[in-house]
Amino acid sequence: MEVYSNEQEQTAALRNFFTSNGKALAAGLVIGIAALGGWRIWVSHQESNALETSARYQQLSEAMNADKPETLDALAAFVNQTHGSYGALAAMNLAKVYVDGGHLDKATQQLEQGLKDSDDANLQAVMRLRLARLQLQQNQADDALKTLDSIKGDSWTALSADIRGEALLSKGDKQGARAAWSKGIDSDASPALKQMMQMKLNNLS
């Protein structure tokens, strides 16, 4: 880098620099401003879409009625068209209605779709717990165990252990069930859940 001996030389150097590079700098400035404006428009568009999606989810969820199939169809269409947390939440709501109506296969499909749509770890954990319970109800103990293996995070240990114990017991693995429930009791579980798992342990004796 050149070292300028006085202000006059520095001024002359700057003048020459801007004379040689002025057009490029101006173009860069224009591009930068345009990019910033485009970014703001994109962010505004995303926020607007999120608000619309949220409002639509709220509307369809409140209208959902098991006695009105058209409301379930509308929510199912929303799930198919919406990718993200709102789509996953809608899938969970729809799955509950299907479970209550005894349509376990449809409920399973909704939860599996919800898992594809959301990348939120906690939401995924809740869906996997519900899916594992459904798989267990459908005598798919091995599938339920695989689903539980995908749940990460210490906060889900107790709930996962409770279902794991049921799945292992359904396979005739009393020792495995005992280990699962013991792990659940030793975890940071609620008193009610600990008591329930302790009762299951006692029933193994």
Side-chain angles (χ1 to χ4, degrees):
M1 180 182 294
E2 294 186 58
V3 178
Y4 302 105
S5 59
N6 55 53
E7 291 185 9
Q8 187 175 1
E9 289 183 9
Q10 292 179 22
T11 301
L14 288 172
R15 186 183 301 114
N16 290 334
F17 173 80
F18 282 109
T19 298
S20 302
N21 300 283
K23 291 182 179 180
L25 288 173
L29 181 61
V30 170
I31 293 172
I33 292 173
L36 179 60
W39 169 256
R40 287 177 176 171
I41 291 172
W42 183 85
V43 169
S44 177
H45 177 69
Q46 292 296 102
E47 290 176 349
S48 176
N49 283 345
L51 289 173
E52 290 177 6
T53 302
S54 174
R56 183 63 174 158
Y57 163 75
Q58 191 71 25
Q59 178 187 21
L60 292 173
S61 296
E62 291 176 355
M64 184 177 61
N65 188 326
D67 296 327
K68 296 180 179 179
E70 65 274 13
T71 65
L72 303 184
D73 292 341
L75 193 59
F78 178 84
V79 172
N80 291 331
Q81 297 166 2
T82 307
H83 302 292
S85 294
Y86 284 112
L89 288 170
M92 287 176 60
N93 291 343
L94 199 52
K96 184 179 184 304
V97 174
Y98 285 145
V99 169
D100 293 340
H103 305 294
L104 302 187
D105 287 340
K106 288 185 176 181
T108 297
Q109 291 173 1
Q110 289 300 319
L111 291 176
E112 289 175 343
Q113 181 62 47
L115 284 169
K116 294 177 183 178
D117 287 338
S118 176
D119 56 3
D120 182 275
N122 289 323
L123 186 54
Q124 284 187 340
V126 173
M127 285 189 286
R128 285 193 170 103
L129 286 170
R130 295 186 180 185
L131 179 58
R133 290 192 185 99
L134 276 176
Q135 291 167 330
L136 192 54
Q137 283 183 262
Q138 298 175 89
N139 299 316
Q140 299 169 358
D142 288 333
D143 289 338
L145 291 170
K146 289 179 182 178
T147 299
L148 293 172
D149 287 340
S150 300
I151 298 176
K152 308 300 180 184
D154 294 339
S155 57
W156 307 103
T157 298
L159 291 169
S160 181
D162 181 41
I163 303 172
R164 185 179 298 278
E166 293 287 352
L168 291 170
L169 184 61
S170 72
K171 290 166 58 69
D173 185 359
K174 289 186 177 182
Q175 184 175 354
R178 183 184 300 279
W181 287 328
S182 296
K183 181 179 180 180
I185 292 171
D186 292 338
S187 70
D188 188 20
S190 67
L193 183 54
K194 284 188 177 184
Q195 184 178 10
M196 183 175 68
M197 286 188 285
Q198 185 61 58
M199 290 175 60
K200 292 177 181 180
L201 270 178
N202 295 340
N203 290 335
L204 287 178
S205 303

